[in-house]
Amino acid sequence: MKNIPFNRHRRLRASAGMRALVRETQLHKEDLIYPIFVIDGKNVKNEINSMPGIYQLSMDNLGAEMDEVVSLGIKSVILFGVPFDHDKDEQGTGAFHHNGLVQEATRFIKKQYSEVIVIADTCLCEYTSHGHCGVVEGEKILNDASLDLLAKTAISQAEAGADIIAPSNMMDGFVAAIRAGLDEAGYEDIPIMSYAVKYASAFYGPFRDAANGAPQFGDRKTYQMDPANRLEAFREAESDVAEGADFLIVKPALSYMDIIRDVKNNFNLPIVSYNVSGEYSMVKAAAHNGWIDEKAIVMEMLTGLKRAGSDLIITYFSKEVARWINEDNQ
């Protein structure tokens, strides 16, 4: 056996200390972006049935949530509004109302927790009576007519104090329209975190429960991407970079790690992966049944997203992960 040449790779795995010394990928609290659903009403804290541990929160409960977020060391949140059904309309005007849910939540957070980065999800679907992300004519989603409303929404969110605008609608030209609108309104320093590569995914199911935003007819396949396509991601990302995006989001995450790596390798911007609701709910269900070790699975999963090329991760696991990192560092 002494004459058989081979490499001793196990030397660098011999102990926990050695493994930590040569570890290539690290997950940090600063990598996490925590989604928050702000709902109309008072004294509301509705746990989302399909997303255990995630809540729809009225404004009067937002402070307690933010206290926990800040105490854990999470630096960034992304806000979604959940209005009453009777406040929705064909144009989604609640999305750009001065006193809209995201706008009011942004003002509150920036006043009380100024160090937290507030990212505003910029879309119409939660606010439209039909549940689509743009203007509808019959059963057709109109692209160009939607752009003005999206720009108005972004401007109103910037006026409220949002640090980053995150448009998720997937209309063609949405980054260009929003960039032009922000610049003309004097918000040229506000970055755009574009949902550049967003697939028409079955993994979004629980989010529709959280945001009360399921389409009332049809689906979103005419504007979100076909899950079978890879090269299309390059075209979408390239357009958004040319139009002025500052971050690129790939959504969902786990089934699209090849796309995350492709985007990372080809575009010199921060890459954000969205670990979406269905991915969260599957892990929670398996952990609840005792089939998996939740901490081990989640940490492996998010580390894998970092290894694939994610600079930042939007995840509903943010609070658990921050807590685990804090415990491990004690």
Side-chain angles (χ1 to χ4, degrees):
M1 295 294 292
K2 291 183 178 179
N3 296 323
I4 300 175
F6 58 87
N7 294 317
R8 295 192 179 273
H9 301 291
R10 292 179 56 191
R11 290 170 181 157
L12 302 186
R13 305 177 197 144
S15 67
M18 184 66 74
R19 292 190 294 273
L21 183 67
V22 299
R23 188 161 293 137
E24 300 172 26
T25 305
Q26 302 283 347
L27 183 64
H28 304 287
K29 290 182 291 184
E30 290 79 6
D31 303 329
L32 306 172
I33 300 171
Y34 182 56
I36 296 178
F37 297 95
V38 184
I39 194 169
D40 261 324
K42 293 184 178 180
N43 196 28
V44 180
K45 186 177 181 180
N46 295 332
E47 187 171 26
I48 300 157
N49 288 336
S50 55
M51 299 177 69
I54 303 298
Y55 296 84
Q56 297 170 329
L57 300 167
S58 54
M59 281 292 301
D60 52 344
N61 280 317
L62 184 56
E65 180 80 342
M66 288 304 303
D67 285 344
E68 183 179 17
V69 166
V70 171
S71 71
L72 289 170
I74 296 169
K75 306 297 185 184
S76 306
V77 297
I78 184 167
L79 300 178
F80 300 88
V82 188
F84 291 132
D85 286 344
H86 61 71
D87 288 332
K88 300 180 180 184
D89 57 36
E90 289 287 313
Q91 301 290 308
T93 55
F96 48 85
H97 195 283
H98 177 77
N99 296 320
L101 289 166
V102 169
Q103 288 81 354
E104 287 294 295
T106 298
R107 291 188 188 98
F108 172 79
I109 294 172
K110 294 309 297 183
K111 181 178 180 181
Q112 301 295 328
Y113 312 89
S114 58
E115 73 280 9
V116 173
I117 294 293
V118 173
I119 304 165
D121 180 79
T122 307
C123 199
L124 305 177
C125 59
E126 294 104 311
Y127 305 90
T128 54
S129 53
H130 46 73
H132 279 284
C133 302
V135 176
V136 167
E137 184 178 87
E139 292 196 357
K140 182 179 181 181
I141 291 80
L142 302 180
N143 191 91
D144 295 8
S146 304
L147 298 180
D148 287 342
L149 301 183
L150 294 166
K152 288 178 66 174
T153 301
I155 293 166
S156 72
Q157 293 169 339
E159 287 174 346
D163 297 290
I164 299 173
I165 299 300
S168 58
N169 55 90
M170 287 297 285
M171 297 294 118
D172 290 338
F174 70 95
V175 173
I178 289 171
R179 184 73 272 159
L182 289 172
D183 290 355
E184 290 170 9
Y187 297 107
E188 60 275 358
D189 292 331
I190 299 295
I192 296 174
M193 181 181 285
S194 171
Y195 286 70
V197 181
K198 182 177 179 180
Y199 286 89
S201 173
F203 284 99
Y204 301 152
F207 180 90
R208 308 266 164 89
D209 297 335
N212 297 346
Q216 297 301 301
F217 66 88
D219 53 41
R220 294 175 176 150
K221 293 180 180 179
T222 64
Y223 45 104
Q224 295 178 1
M225 291 171 52
D226 185 337
N229 291 354
R230 173 173 173 256
L231 297 181
E232 186 180 4
F234 291 88
R235 299 196 296 272
E236 289 284 356
E238 186 175 32
S239 292
D240 287 6
V241 171
E243 292 171 16
D246 300 281
F247 303 78
L248 299 174
I249 298 176
V250 177
K251 180 181 180 184
L254 293 182
S255 293
Y256 300 89
M257 292 174 75
D258 60 323
I259 306 301
I260 294 170
R261 174 46 58 187
D262 282 341
V263 174
K264 179 67 172 179
N265 286 346
N266 285 275
F267 300 97
N268 190 25
L269 290 177
I271 307 303
V272 186
S273 60
Y274 198 141
N275 177 214
V276 299
S277 59
E279 297 165 348
Y280 173 88
S281 298
M282 289 191 302
V283 172
K284 283 292 184 181
H288 176 75
N289 282 287
W291 298 336
I292 60 171
D293 179 331
E294 181 176 353
K295 177 182 176 181
I297 289 286
V298 172
M299 295 302 285
E300 181 178 343
M301 178 173 68
L302 298 192
T303 300
L305 295 179
K306 284 287 303 277
R307 189 189 66 246
S310 305
D311 298 292
L312 301 167
I313 303 172
I314 303 172
T315 178
Y316 303 98
F317 288 111
S318 291
K319 291 196 296 187
E320 287 100 326
V321 171
R323 191 173 293 113
W324 293 330
I325 291 174
N326 290 338
E327 291 170 355
D328 290 344
N329 288 338
Q330 288 179 352

